[in-house]
Amino acid sequence: MTIRSVIKGSGSALPKRAVANAEMAQMVDTTDEWIVERTGIRNRHIAGEGETTATLAIEASRKALEAAGIDGADVGLIVLATATPDQTFPATATQVQHALGCNGGIAFDVAAVCSGFLYALSVADSMLKTGMAKTALVIGAETFSRILDWEDRTTCVLFGDGAGAVVLQAQDVDESDPNAPGIIATRLHADGKHNELLYVDGGPSTTGTVGKLRMRGKEVFRHAVTNLSDVLREVLADTGIQAADIDWVVPHQANARILDATARKLGLPEEKVIVTVDRHANTSAASVPLAYDTAVRDGRIKPGDLVMFEAMGGGFTWGASLARV
Ligand code: COA
């Protein structure tokens, strides 16, 4: 027997206001056709007054706990991935902890931008395996609308706000059983030399301001397809599992063309790739758990399925994780 972190439930949350491409075209020089053709995005949700990274994270977490049938008081660890915390400090995770009544355990934020959920999942998985906690909430939550340059059409049309969460629980499983549930393997990477391709031009220690997102999209695109295909192959090699055995790929939702290109490189049929970028745009660290929860709730992902999570983001950071859910 060995300890694995098992996903017990998921939840997600979106701001009330949905903004379709036609509305974006009233703000910047763009068209619905351009955005759909280049990215697959048709809609995004934008946080309004009173909606923040913390409020979205709390709503998603409550739904995840409800789905898992677990009480907030039983959560001993919260790892929240975000690049848009409510405050520079304390960590947004502590606000979630307080709201859910799970005070006294461990709570902190992880910053790996769009790969944040993969990093958070891996950190929580490691901590559960070493006995630091028994039950964890892993959250990706963002309000990227607050760091967008709303006059830059090359970036502002691409992002949205939202949150997703999963409840992880340490469980004894028989690893020789191919159907044993839990996270089977994870690989994470970072390469700091590409900072200038995707970054925010501010911060507490430099400008003293929050700053705005800047991106050289074409170059990011090229790196994303290569890095994601490589890391997916690494996880498959680590586990000896074939791409054909995967039931679902839940990718970071940045651009439909990146999803297509990555799936093609691995020979994965597009029906196995969960796509929500059309509805939510790129929600950074929230995108993987938001897409996962969407597919669980619409009945595509079922208990026992083999699911590959993958993401790539600013830094660059990237990673993939294979789990039987
Ligand atoms: N509406 C209309 N035209 C736009 C536009 C918009 N919103 N944004 C850019 N354009 C224009 C450009 O100015 C350019 O015009 P030009 O040829 O006259 O200079 C033209 O469209 C093509 O721009 P380009 O940047 O070459 O387009 P692209 O095919 O590379 O698509 C992205 C741009 C951003 C959609 C694409 O590169 C992308 O998705 N990259 C990855 C981004 C990403 O995933 N980032 C997050 C990773 S976590």
Side-chain angles (χ1 to χ4, degrees):
M1 297 296 266
T2 187
I3 296 175
R4 268 203 198 157
S5 308
V6 179
I7 298 177
K8 293 291 185 182
S10 65
S12 57
L14 291 162
K16 281 183 211 67
R17 182 175 165 223
V19 178
N21 289 347
E23 196 176 334
M24 296 301 301
Q26 291 166 10
M27 297 182 219
V28 286
D29 182 14
T30 191
T31 59
D32 177 49
E33 294 72 31
W34 191 95
I35 302 172
V36 172
E37 189 193 316
R38 302 287 175 129
T39 71
I41 296 165
R42 294 177 186 276
N43 186 66
R44 76 280 295 138
H45 288 254
I46 302 293
E49 212 186 327
E51 290 176 319
T52 68
T53 295
T55 68
L56 294 167
I58 291 163
E59 187 185 336
S61 299
R62 284 209 170 102
K63 290 179 184 164
L65 287 169
E66 194 187 334
I70 286 170
D71 196 79
D74 294 330
V75 173
L77 167 67
I78 299 178
V79 189
L80 187 149
T82 191
T84 48
D86 279 32
Q87 296 162 284
T88 302
F89 80 81
T92 303
T94 59
Q95 281 170 263
V96 176
Q97 189 195 42
H98 177 59
L100 298 178
C102 34
N103 297 324
I106 307 161
F108 58 96
D109 291 357
V110 159
V113 205
C114 298
S115 317
F117 181 76
L118 268 296
Y119 270 70
L121 192 70
S122 174
V123 170
D125 179 31
S126 305
M127 292 178 81
L128 291 185
K129 281 182 175 157
T130 55
M132 297 280 285
K134 174 98 177 109
T135 305
L137 257 173
V138 184
I139 309 160
E142 302 274 19
T143 43
F144 257 49
S145 63
R146 306 234 156 98
I147 55 163
L148 293 176
D149 177 349
W150 285 95
E151 290 176 0
D152 176 10
R153 68 174 182 172
T154 69
T155 53
C156 75
V157 301
L158 304 174
F159 295 90
D161 302 332
V166 298
V167 177
L168 277 189
Q169 205 158 52
Q171 199 172 303
D172 269 330
V173 301
D174 175 2
E175 254 195 330
S176 64
D177 174 4
N179 295 317
I183 297 172
I184 302 164
T186 303
R187 283 276 194 141
L188 300 175
H189 293 285
D191 186 351
K193 71 173 173 284
H194 300 297
N195 183 302
E196 82 290 355
L197 299 183
L198 178 53
Y199 66 101
V200 169
D201 62 5
S205 171
T206 49
T207 60
T209 61
V210 172
K212 299 289 178 207
L213 182 146
R214 307 291 170 204
M215 178 168 70
R216 293 191 354 223
K218 217 182 244 320
E219 282 144 279
V220 174
F221 190 108
R222 196 166 45 79
H223 283 282
V225 176
T226 310
N227 290 344
L228 288 171
S229 319
D230 288 351
V231 76
L232 289 169
R233 284 200 191 95
E234 282 172 9
V235 171
L236 290 174
D238 286 348
T239 57
I241 289 168
Q242 306 298 310
D245 297 329
I246 296 171
D247 294 303
W248 299 103
V249 180
V250 182
H252 169 50
Q253 310 284 319
N255 181 318
R257 289 189 296 142
I258 296 179
L259 306 189
D260 291 346
T262 311
R264 251 198 322 274
K265 272 198 156 198
L266 285 170
L268 284 163
E270 61 182 57
E271 311 83 73
K272 287 190 171 186
V273 182
I274 302 295
V275 180
T276 54
V277 68
D278 53 330
R279 288 181 258 173
H280 305 146
N282 181 347
T283 57
S284 184
S287 96
V288 169
L290 181 52
Y292 174 73
D293 185 55
T294 302
V296 167
R297 285 174 194 267
D298 70 21
R300 277 178 290 172
I301 297 179
K302 296 186 181 61
D305 282 352
L306 194 56
V307 179
M308 180 76 91
F309 301 99
E310 47 110 315
M312 143 102 188
F316 291 135
T317 54
W318 66 102
S321 184
L322 185 67
R324 194 167 288 282
V325 300

